[in-house]
Amino acid sequence: MGARNTARDFGWVTRLIHWLTALGVILMLALGTYIASIRPSLGNLWLFGLHKSLGLSLFALTLARLSWHLLSPPPAPLSEGVPRWQVTVARAVHWMLYALLLAIPLSGWIASAATGIDVVLFGRLTLPPIVPPSETLDRLFFRVHGVLTSLLAVLILLHAGAAVHHHLLRRDRTLRRMIEG
C-alpha cells in the first residue's frame, strides 16, 4: 500500500496521522483531566508545559492532516446501504472533530497567554502571547477549553462507536481500511 490515498483505500500517511492523532488525543484527555485536578506547583509545572507542548503538536498534526487531504483526498465512505442521514452525520462529525482539534489548542494557548505565563514548546521555543494578560480572558478561555474538550470526548466516543458498529454489525471494511489500508 502506498503513501497516497486511493479512491478505495487510505494510504499509510493518512493512517499514520490518524492513529498518532488518536493516541495523542487519548494522552491529552488523560493528562488534561489529571492536571485539572491538581494545584500547580514548582514540582508539577512540567506537566502543564508538557500538556501545552503536546496540544500544540496535535494542532500542527491536524494542520498537516488537512493539508495532506488536499494533496491526497481520502476515499469516499463505505455508504452502500447506509441511510443518507447517517452519512450526513458521519461527515458532520468528521468536520467537527477537525474543528475541535484546531479550536482546543488555540483556546488553551489563549487561556495560557491570558494568565501572563509564557507558552513554551518542549522547553525550547517560547510562543508569542496571543492575547494580553487578562483575568477575564483567562477564566473565559479555560472554560471554553474545558467545554470544547468535553465535546471532543463525546464525538470521539461517537466516532469510535460508529467504527465498531461498521465492523461488527455491518461487517464492512470501514475500520479495516483505517487499520490495514
Side-chain angles (χ1 to χ4, degrees), residues 34 57 74 103 150 156 161 165 171:
Y34 176 70
S57 295
S150 296
I156 287 169
H165 169 81
R171 298 189 183 279

Side-chain angles (χ1 to χ4, degrees), residues 8-32:
R8 185 175 140 82
D9 291 308
F10 293 102
W12 68 262
V13 171
T14 296
R15 289 182 285 126
L16 177 66
I17 293 172
H18 175 273
W19 293 109
L20 284 174
T21 301
L23 180 65
V25 167
I26 290 166
L27 177 64
M28 288 298 288
L29 288 171
L31 181 57

Side-chain angles (χ1 to χ4, degrees), residues 26-45:
I26 290 166
L27 177 64
M28 288 298 288
L29 288 171
L31 181 57
T33 300
Y34 176 70
I35 66 172
S37 72
I38 62 174
R39 179 177 219 112
S41 70
L42 290 178
N44 62 26
L45 203 53

Side-chain angles (χ1 to χ4, degrees), residues 6-10 73-92 94-95 159 162 166 170 172-175 177-178:
T6 67
R8 185 175 140 82
D9 291 308
F10 293 102
L78 300 174
S79 58
E80 186 176 320
V82 177
R84 187 175 194 73
W85 71 267
Q86 287 181 10
V87 174
T88 302
V89 168
R91 184 169 286 122
H94 275 98
W95 283 110
H159 178 71
H166 276 272
R170 295 194 59 79
D172 65 21
R173 295 183 58 246
T174 297
L175 180 58
R177 66 183 189 163
M178 187 48 79

